[in-house]
mmCIF file of all heavy atoms in Angstrom:
data_model
loop_
_atom_site.group_PDB
_atom_site.id
_atom_site.type_symbol
_atom_site.label_atom_id
_atom_site.label_comp_id
_atom_site.label_asym_id
_atom_site.label_seq_id
_atom_site.Cartn_x
_atom_site.Cartn_y
_atom_site.Cartn_z
ATOM 1 N N ARG A 18 -0.702 -3.861 -19.651
ATOM 2 C CA ARG A 18 0.201 -3.267 -20.641
ATOM 3 C C ARG A 18 1.377 -4.217 -20.805
ATOM 4 O O ARG A 18 2.075 -4.524 -19.839
ATOM 5 C CB ARG A 18 0.683 -1.884 -20.185
ATOM 6 C CG ARG A 18 1.571 -1.184 -21.201
ATOM 7 C CD ARG A 18 1.612 0.315 -20.944
ATOM 8 N NE ARG A 18 2.124 0.641 -19.623
ATOM 9 C CZ ARG A 18 3.406 0.898 -19.362
ATOM 10 N NH1 ARG A 18 4.308 0.867 -20.349
ATOM 11 N NH2 ARG A 18 3.798 1.204 -18.140
ATOM 12 N N VAL A 19 1.566 -4.703 -22.020
ATOM 13 C CA VAL A 19 2.659 -5.631 -22.302
ATOM 14 C C VAL A 19 3.799 -4.853 -22.944
ATOM 15 O O VAL A 19 3.599 -4.166 -23.953
ATOM 16 C CB VAL A 19 2.196 -6.765 -23.239
ATOM 17 C CG1 VAL A 19 3.353 -7.718 -23.541
ATOM 18 C CG2 VAL A 19 1.040 -7.532 -22.604
ATOM 19 N N VAL A 20 4.989 -4.950 -22.364
ATOM 20 C CA VAL A 20 6.166 -4.256 -22.890
ATOM 21 C C VAL A 20 7.175 -5.298 -23.353
ATOM 22 O O VAL A 20 7.201 -6.429 -22.848
ATOM 23 C CB VAL A 20 6.797 -3.324 -21.833
ATOM 24 C CG1 VAL A 20 5.810 -2.237 -21.424
ATOM 25 C CG2 VAL A 20 7.250 -4.112 -20.606
ATOM 26 N N PRO A 21 8.019 -4.949 -24.332
ATOM 27 C CA PRO A 21 8.999 -5.923 -24.833
ATOM 28 C C PRO A 21 9.991 -6.336 -23.759
ATOM 29 O O PRO A 21 10.426 -5.523 -22.946
ATOM 30 C CB PRO A 21 9.705 -5.151 -25.967
ATOM 31 C CG PRO A 21 8.790 -4.032 -26.321
ATOM 32 C CD PRO A 21 8.077 -3.675 -25.055
ATOM 33 N N LEU A 22 10.328 -7.604 -23.765
ATOM 34 C CA LEU A 22 11.363 -8.113 -22.868
ATOM 35 C C LEU A 22 12.686 -8.043 -23.615
ATOM 36 O O LEU A 22 12.912 -8.799 -24.558
ATOM 37 C CB LEU A 22 11.045 -9.548 -22.456
ATOM 38 C CG LEU A 22 12.000 -10.196 -21.451
ATOM 39 C CD1 LEU A 22 11.923 -9.488 -20.111
ATOM 40 C CD2 LEU A 22 11.670 -11.674 -21.284
ATOM 41 N N SER A 23 13.548 -7.150 -23.210
ATOM 42 C CA SER A 23 14.782 -6.894 -23.953
ATOM 43 C C SER A 23 16.003 -7.503 -23.291
ATOM 44 O O SER A 23 17.135 -7.150 -23.622
ATOM 45 C CB SER A 23 14.986 -5.383 -24.114
ATOM 46 O OG SER A 23 15.038 -4.744 -22.848
ATOM 47 N N THR A 24 15.796 -8.411 -22.340
ATOM 48 C CA THR A 24 16.921 -8.989 -21.615
ATOM 49 C C THR A 24 16.553 -10.371 -21.111
ATOM 50 O O THR A 24 15.371 -10.678 -20.906
ATOM 51 C CB THR A 24 17.304 -8.098 -20.412
ATOM 52 O OG1 THR A 24 18.330 -8.729 -19.651
ATOM 53 C CG2 THR A 24 16.107 -7.839 -19.519
ATOM 54 N N ARG A 25 17.573 -11.220 -20.909
ATOM 55 C CA ARG A 25 17.357 -12.512 -20.282
ATOM 56 C C ARG A 25 17.474 -12.427 -18.762
ATOM 57 O O ARG A 25 17.321 -13.435 -18.076
ATOM 58 C CB ARG A 25 18.376 -13.527 -20.817
ATOM 59 C CG ARG A 25 18.173 -13.930 -22.261
ATOM 60 C CD ARG A 25 16.916 -14.718 -22.457
ATOM 61 N NE ARG A 25 16.777 -15.228 -23.819
ATOM 62 C CZ ARG A 25 15.676 -15.781 -24.301
ATOM 63 N NH1 ARG A 25 14.605 -15.881 -23.534
ATOM 64 N NH2 ARG A 25 15.628 -16.217 -25.544
ATOM 65 N N ASP A 26 17.740 -11.231 -18.249
ATOM 66 C CA ASP A 26 17.817 -11.026 -16.803
ATOM 67 C C ASP A 26 17.003 -9.772 -16.447
ATOM 68 O O ASP A 26 17.535 -8.654 -16.420
ATOM 69 C CB ASP A 26 19.264 -10.860 -16.352
ATOM 70 C CG ASP A 26 19.392 -10.794 -14.832
ATOM 71 O OD1 ASP A 26 18.357 -10.686 -14.146
ATOM 72 O OD2 ASP A 26 20.536 -10.841 -14.329
ATOM 73 N N PRO A 27 15.699 -9.944 -16.171
ATOM 74 C CA PRO A 27 14.832 -8.777 -15.963
ATOM 75 C C PRO A 27 14.778 -8.295 -14.510
ATOM 76 O O PRO A 27 13.871 -7.542 -14.155
ATOM 77 C CB PRO A 27 13.472 -9.324 -16.396
ATOM 78 C CG PRO A 27 13.514 -10.752 -15.973
ATOM 79 C CD PRO A 27 14.952 -11.201 -16.155
ATOM 80 N N ARG A 28 15.733 -8.692 -13.687
ATOM 81 C CA ARG A 28 15.656 -8.309 -12.278
ATOM 82 C C ARG A 28 15.695 -6.796 -12.078
ATOM 83 O O ARG A 28 15.036 -6.273 -11.172
ATOM 84 C CB ARG A 28 16.781 -8.997 -11.493
ATOM 85 C CG ARG A 28 16.490 -10.470 -11.230
ATOM 86 C CD ARG A 28 17.624 -11.171 -10.523
ATOM 87 N NE ARG A 28 18.761 -11.413 -11.409
ATOM 88 C CZ ARG A 28 19.816 -12.150 -11.065
ATOM 89 N NH1 ARG A 28 19.874 -12.695 -9.855
ATOM 90 N NH2 ARG A 28 20.804 -12.346 -11.917
ATOM 91 N N GLN A 29 16.456 -6.098 -12.903
ATOM 92 C CA GLN A 29 16.504 -4.646 -12.767
ATOM 93 C C GLN A 29 15.154 -4.015 -13.111
ATOM 94 O O GLN A 29 14.732 -3.039 -12.475
ATOM 95 C CB GLN A 29 17.595 -4.070 -13.680
ATOM 96 C CG GLN A 29 17.817 -2.569 -13.542
ATOM 97 C CD GLN A 29 18.354 -2.156 -12.175
ATOM 98 O OE1 GLN A 29 18.913 -2.983 -11.458
ATOM 99 N NE2 GLN A 29 18.185 -0.899 -11.814
ATOM 100 N N LEU A 30 14.459 -4.566 -14.099
ATOM 101 C CA LEU A 30 13.127 -4.067 -14.453
ATOM 102 C C LEU A 30 12.171 -4.221 -13.278
ATOM 103 O O LEU A 30 11.364 -3.326 -12.994
ATOM 104 C CB LEU A 30 12.578 -4.830 -15.663
ATOM 105 C CG LEU A 30 13.316 -4.691 -16.991
ATOM 106 C CD1 LEU A 30 12.705 -5.618 -18.035
ATOM 107 C CD2 LEU A 30 13.286 -3.254 -17.475
ATOM 108 N N LEU A 31 12.253 -5.354 -12.600
ATOM 109 C CA LEU A 31 11.383 -5.599 -11.454
ATOM 110 C C LEU A 31 11.805 -4.766 -10.252
ATOM 111 O O LEU A 31 10.968 -4.272 -9.499
ATOM 112 C CB LEU A 31 11.407 -7.083 -11.103
ATOM 113 C CG LEU A 31 10.825 -8.015 -12.178
ATOM 114 C CD1 LEU A 31 11.259 -9.450 -11.926
ATOM 115 C CD2 LEU A 31 9.311 -7.912 -12.207
ATOM 116 N N GLU A 32 13.109 -4.587 -10.079
ATOM 117 C CA GLU A 32 13.623 -3.803 -8.962
ATOM 118 C C GLU A 32 13.147 -2.364 -9.038
ATOM 119 O O GLU A 32 12.768 -1.756 -8.024
ATOM 120 C CB GLU A 32 15.147 -3.847 -8.961
ATOM 121 C CG GLU A 32 15.802 -3.225 -7.753
ATOM 122 C CD GLU A 32 15.636 -4.069 -6.497
ATOM 123 O OE1 GLU A 32 16.243 -5.153 -6.419
ATOM 124 O OE2 GLU A 32 14.888 -3.617 -5.610
ATOM 125 N N THR A 33 13.153 -1.794 -10.227
ATOM 126 C CA THR A 33 12.761 -0.395 -10.414
ATOM 127 C C THR A 33 11.280 -0.244 -10.712
ATOM 128 O O THR A 33 10.822 0.853 -11.012
ATOM 129 C CB THR A 33 13.568 0.236 -11.560
ATOM 130 O OG1 THR A 33 13.329 -0.492 -12.778
ATOM 131 C CG2 THR A 33 15.061 0.215 -11.245
ATOM 132 N N GLN A 34 10.537 -1.352 -10.656
ATOM 133 C CA GLN A 34 9.092 -1.363 -10.887
ATOM 134 C C GLN A 34 8.726 -0.914 -12.292
ATOM 135 O O GLN A 34 7.649 -0.346 -12.514
ATOM 136 C CB GLN A 34 8.373 -0.518 -9.832
ATOM 137 C CG GLN A 34 8.536 -1.062 -8.419
ATOM 138 C CD GLN A 34 7.725 -0.314 -7.380
ATOM 139 O OE1 GLN A 34 7.637 0.918 -7.428
ATOM 140 N NE2 GLN A 34 7.159 -1.042 -6.441
ATOM 141 N N ALA A 35 9.624 -1.175 -13.252
ATOM 142 C CA ALA A 35 9.292 -0.922 -14.651
ATOM 143 C C ALA A 35 8.261 -1.920 -15.145
ATOM 144 O O ALA A 35 7.576 -1.672 -16.140
ATOM 145 C CB ALA A 35 10.547 -0.985 -15.519
ATOM 146 N N CYS A 36 8.156 -3.060 -14.473
ATOM 147 C CA CYS A 36 7.106 -4.026 -14.778
ATOM 148 C C CYS A 36 6.726 -4.748 -13.490
ATOM 149 O O CYS A 36 7.492 -4.771 -12.521
ATOM 150 C CB CYS A 36 7.548 -5.015 -15.858
ATOM 151 S SG CYS A 36 8.853 -6.159 -15.350
ATOM 152 N N ASP A 37 5.542 -5.319 -13.483
ATOM 153 C CA ASP A 37 5.060 -6.051 -12.324
ATOM 154 C C ASP A 37 5.436 -7.518 -12.379
ATOM 155 O O ASP A 37 5.620 -8.166 -11.340
ATOM 156 C CB ASP A 37 3.530 -5.933 -12.228
ATOM 157 C CG ASP A 37 3.077 -4.501 -12.053
ATOM 158 O OD1 ASP A 37 3.384 -3.911 -10.993
ATOM 159 O OD2 ASP A 37 2.421 -3.963 -12.968
ATOM 160 N N LEU A 38 5.536 -8.047 -13.601
ATOM 161 C CA LEU A 38 5.812 -9.469 -13.785
ATOM 162 C C LEU A 38 6.562 -9.635 -15.097
ATOM 163 O O LEU A 38 6.192 -9.047 -16.115
ATOM 164 C CB LEU A 38 4.501 -10.253 -13.831
ATOM 165 C CG LEU A 38 4.579 -11.782 -13.769
ATOM 166 C CD1 LEU A 38 5.019 -12.234 -12.383
ATOM 167 C CD2 LEU A 38 3.224 -12.394 -14.117
ATOM 168 N N ALA A 39 7.631 -10.424 -15.062
ATOM 169 C CA ALA A 39 8.387 -10.738 -16.276
ATOM 170 C C ALA A 39 8.163 -12.203 -16.599
ATOM 171 O O ALA A 39 8.184 -13.058 -15.702
ATOM 172 C CB ALA A 39 9.871 -10.455 -16.086
ATOM 173 N N VAL A 40 7.942 -12.504 -17.868
ATOM 174 C CA VAL A 40 7.688 -13.881 -18.299
ATOM 175 C C VAL A 40 8.648 -14.215 -19.427
ATOM 176 O O VAL A 40 8.705 -13.496 -20.432
ATOM 177 C CB VAL A 40 6.235 -14.063 -18.769
ATOM 178 C CG1 VAL A 40 5.999 -15.507 -19.221
ATOM 179 C CG2 VAL A 40 5.254 -13.685 -17.670
ATOM 180 N N GLY A 41 9.417 -15.291 -19.252
ATOM 181 C CA GLY A 41 10.363 -15.654 -20.301
ATOM 182 C C GLY A 41 11.317 -16.745 -19.860
ATOM 183 O O GLY A 41 11.122 -17.405 -18.831
ATOM 184 N N HIS A 42 12.363 -16.909 -20.649
ATOM 185 C CA HIS A 42 13.426 -17.891 -20.378
ATOM 186 C C HIS A 42 14.597 -17.145 -19.758
ATOM 187 O O HIS A 42 15.216 -16.302 -20.414
ATOM 188 C CB HIS A 42 13.829 -18.564 -21.691
ATOM 189 C CG HIS A 42 14.960 -19.533 -21.558
ATOM 190 N ND1 HIS A 42 14.988 -20.514 -20.591
ATOM 191 C CD2 HIS A 42 16.115 -19.675 -22.280
ATOM 192 C CE1 HIS A 42 16.096 -21.218 -20.716
ATOM 193 N NE2 HIS A 42 16.799 -20.734 -21.724
ATOM 194 N N PHE A 43 14.892 -17.438 -18.476
ATOM 195 C CA PHE A 43 15.904 -16.706 -17.729
ATOM 196 C C PHE A 43 16.975 -17.681 -17.234
ATOM 197 O O PHE A 43 17.029 -18.010 -16.031
ATOM 198 C CB PHE A 43 15.262 -15.963 -16.563
ATOM 199 C CG PHE A 43 14.055 -15.144 -16.945
ATOM 200 C CD1 PHE A 43 12.843 -15.309 -16.282
ATOM 201 C CD2 PHE A 43 14.124 -14.224 -17.977
ATOM 202 C CE1 PHE A 43 11.732 -14.555 -16.634
ATOM 203 C CE2 PHE A 43 13.020 -13.470 -18.344
ATOM 204 C CZ PHE A 43 11.816 -13.637 -17.668
ATOM 205 N N PRO A 44 17.841 -18.151 -18.132
ATOM 206 C CA PRO A 44 18.766 -19.239 -17.788
ATOM 207 C C PRO A 44 19.791 -18.910 -16.713
ATOM 208 O O PRO A 44 20.258 -19.806 -16.008
ATOM 209 C CB PRO A 44 19.446 -19.554 -19.124
ATOM 210 C CG PRO A 44 19.298 -18.308 -19.942
ATOM 211 C CD PRO A 44 17.973 -17.723 -19.537
ATOM 212 N N SER A 45 20.163 -17.641 -16.559
ATOM 213 C CA SER A 45 21.164 -17.298 -15.548
ATOM 214 C C SER A 45 20.546 -16.867 -14.232
ATOM 215 O O SER A 45 21.203 -16.889 -13.186
ATOM 216 C CB SER A 45 22.077 -16.174 -16.071
ATOM 217 O OG SER A 45 21.331 -14.985 -16.280
ATOM 218 N N VAL A 46 19.277 -16.471 -14.263
ATOM 219 C CA VAL A 46 18.635 -15.935 -13.065
ATOM 220 C C VAL A 46 18.249 -17.043 -12.093
ATOM 221 O O VAL A 46 18.537 -16.969 -10.893
ATOM 222 C CB VAL A 46 17.393 -15.109 -13.441
ATOM 223 C CG1 VAL A 46 16.677 -14.619 -12.184
ATOM 224 C CG2 VAL A 46 17.785 -13.930 -14.320
ATOM 225 N N LEU A 47 17.595 -18.079 -12.602
ATOM 226 C CA LEU A 47 17.051 -19.103 -11.714
ATOM 227 C C LEU A 47 18.132 -19.868 -10.950
ATOM 228 O O LEU A 47 17.967 -20.119 -9.746
ATOM 229 C CB LEU A 47 16.159 -20.057 -12.497
ATOM 230 C CG LEU A 47 14.987 -19.389 -13.262
ATOM 231 C CD1 LEU A 47 13.986 -20.443 -13.697
ATOM 232 C CD2 LEU A 47 14.307 -18.327 -12.415
ATOM 233 N N PRO A 48 19.251 -20.259 -11.580
ATOM 234 C CA PRO A 48 20.310 -20.908 -10.792
ATOM 235 C C PRO A 48 20.851 -20.002 -9.692
ATOM 236 O O PRO A 48 21.180 -20.477 -8.591
ATOM 237 C CB PRO A 48 21.389 -21.221 -11.848
ATOM 238 C CG PRO A 48 20.645 -21.315 -13.135
ATOM 239 C CD PRO A 48 19.556 -20.292 -13.025
ATOM 240 N N ASP A 49 20.942 -18.704 -9.969
ATOM 241 C CA ASP A 49 21.426 -17.762 -8.955
ATOM 242 C C ASP A 49 20.465 -17.698 -7.779
ATOM 243 O O ASP A 49 20.890 -17.701 -6.610
ATOM 244 C CB ASP A 49 21.596 -16.380 -9.597
ATOM 245 C CG ASP A 49 22.173 -15.365 -8.625
ATOM 246 O OD1 ASP A 49 23.167 -15.685 -7.955
ATOM 247 O OD2 ASP A 49 21.616 -14.250 -8.526
ATOM 248 N N LEU A 50 19.153 -17.648 -8.060
ATOM 249 C CA LEU A 50 18.165 -17.606 -6.985
ATOM 250 C C LEU A 50 18.164 -18.914 -6.192
ATOM 251 O O LEU A 50 18.050 -18.908 -4.962
ATOM 252 C CB LEU A 50 16.772 -17.341 -7.571
ATOM 253 C CG LEU A 50 16.559 -15.981 -8.236
ATOM 254 C CD1 LEU A 50 15.151 -15.874 -8.786
ATOM 255 C CD2 LEU A 50 16.840 -14.840 -7.268
ATOM 256 N N THR A 51 18.291 -20.028 -6.897
ATOM 257 C CA THR A 51 18.319 -21.325 -6.222
ATOM 258 C C THR A 51 19.528 -21.428 -5.295
ATOM 259 O O THR A 51 19.425 -21.928 -4.167
ATOM 260 C CB THR A 51 18.352 -22.462 -7.257
ATOM 261 O OG1 THR A 51 17.196 -22.367 -8.108
ATOM 262 C CG2 THR A 51 18.366 -23.817 -6.574
ATOM 263 N N ALA A 52 20.678 -20.938 -5.758
ATOM 264 C CA ALA A 52 21.881 -20.958 -4.928
ATOM 265 C C ALA A 52 21.703 -20.105 -3.685
ATOM 266 O O ALA A 52 22.133 -20.489 -2.584
ATOM 267 C CB ALA A 52 23.080 -20.475 -5.745
ATOM 268 N N LYS A 53 21.071 -18.945 -3.824
ATOM 269 C CA LYS A 53 20.818 -18.082 -2.661
ATOM 270 C C LYS A 53 19.925 -18.793 -1.653
ATOM 271 O O LYS A 53 20.157 -18.737 -0.427
ATOM 272 C CB LYS A 53 20.174 -16.769 -3.114
ATOM 273 C CG LYS A 53 21.137 -15.760 -3.713
ATOM 274 C CD LYS A 53 20.401 -14.472 -4.065
ATOM 275 C CE LYS A 53 21.368 -13.336 -4.403
ATOM 276 N NZ LYS A 53 22.256 -13.622 -5.512
ATOM 277 N N ALA A 54 18.896 -19.472 -2.148
ATOM 278 C CA ALA A 54 17.979 -20.177 -1.251
ATOM 279 C C ALA A 54 18.704 -21.295 -0.519
ATOM 280 O O ALA A 54 18.504 -21.501 0.686
ATOM 281 C CB ALA A 54 16.805 -20.724 -2.051
ATOM 282 N N GLN A 55 19.554 -22.027 -1.222
ATOM 283 C CA GLN A 55 20.285 -23.127 -0.603
ATOM 284 C C GLN A 55 21.276 -22.633 0.442
ATOM 285 O O GLN A 55 21.585 -23.356 1.396
ATOM 286 C CB GLN A 55 21.006 -23.931 -1.677
ATOM 287 C CG GLN A 55 20.057 -24.694 -2.601
ATOM 288 C CD GLN A 55 20.773 -25.374 -3.746
ATOM 289 O OE1 GLN A 55 21.923 -25.050 -4.070
ATOM 290 N NE2 GLN A 55 20.085 -26.313 -4.402
#
């Protein structure tokens, strides 16, 4: 089931299990995750 991606930050959708996988351009998410890993 494909649902519209209505945000550039889908972490809340994944947190609440509204979707299993989000696919898109997430310019603010990836730097934040990289910083956490570092």
Side-chain angles (χ1 to χ4, degrees):
R18 183 160 60 93
V19 179
V20 298
L22 183 66
S23 58
T24 175
R25 290 293 186 190
D26 186 350
R28 284 177 286 188
Q29 185 65 20
L30 296 175
L31 295 163
E32 188 72 70
T33 60
Q34 297 185 320
C36 68
D37 298 294
L38 191 70
V40 180
H42 177 49
F43 310 126
S45 64
V46 177
L47 303 194
D49 183 48
L50 295 179
T51 301
K53 282 183 168 59
Q55 292 174 343

